[in-house]
Amino acid sequence: MRLNADFEQRVVIRPEQYQWVDSPMPGVTRMMLDRIGDEVARATSIVRYAPYSEFSAHTHSGGEEFLVLDGVFSDEHGDYGKGAYVRNPIGTSHTPRIGKEGATILVKLHQFVPEDDEQKVIDTNQQPWLPGLVDGLSVMPLHEFEHEHVALVRWAPNTQFSSHCHWGGEEIFVLEGTFHDEHGSYPKGTWLRSPHLSQHIPFTQEDGALIFVKTGHLPDQSA
């Protein structure tokens, strides 16, 4: 399967475009955002676990990164509530077992480089916010390795950012509010992927926004 596999193309998927598909396990459905491969794939997905659902034990041959969007995700290592950010590097394994709340996660698979081997669990509800580059922006760094940067960014209402270029691309998932740029408006639940050297001028309006953002991680296919 190849879904949104051309990283030179800008992609926007809004909640009204979600198409949920069943996984091999009962009670587990996926909204595929991008994918290269079949069941084992380089993939970005929203995964929805019904209450008391399970997924079979598996090893992360290319690493796993996820953010809990709703409910509680659980495995033999712990319970991760809404706002938990988890990195499981190459070679780690687990067996997801979900409780009565169910869970929804944004997950990225098979996208680690071998040297990026830090296992990490961050409760973003407990982490401090740092000042951003302009008034109205607050940033919570989550991970950095080589050119890759991962963070939450909170935008106050009516915040304007300057035009900028994304070296290595940019990927955004809107967690709250509405994110805007000169290309359009992106409500809660929207996923955006912008290619290497893309540019935009982001801003918010009256409802502000909270976004999960990754930069510097997308391949330059022209190289």
Side-chain angles (χ1 to χ4, degrees), residues 187-201:
K188 177 182 176 179
T190 302
W191 178 76
L192 303 89
R193 194 189 69 201
S194 299
H196 176 61
L197 299 182
S198 58
Q199 299 182 63
H200 70 160
I201 308 172

Side-chain angles (χ1 to χ4, degrees), residues 49-50 68-75 78-82 97-105:
Y49 293 84
V68 180
L69 304 177
D70 199 16
V72 179
F73 181 90
S74 300
D75 61 17
D79 301 315
Y80 313 103
K82 181 178 179 180
R97 291 189 177 94
I98 311 304
K100 63 181 181 180
E101 301 92 344
T104 304
I105 64 173

Side-chain angles (χ1 to χ4, degrees), residues 97-141:
R97 291 189 177 94
I98 311 304
K100 63 181 181 180
E101 301 92 344
T104 304
I105 64 173
L106 173 69
V107 60
K108 298 179 68 65
L109 298 172
H110 227 283
Q111 299 177 41
F112 283 38
V113 297
E115 297 79 14
D116 188 0
D117 59 1
E118 181 181 5
Q119 191 153 19
K120 181 177 287 189
V121 177
I122 297 175
D123 181 356
T124 64
N125 301 295
Q126 303 296 324
Q127 293 296 303
W129 290 92
L130 306 177
L133 294 176
V134 300
D135 289 344
L137 280 190
S138 301
V139 179
M140 183 186 296

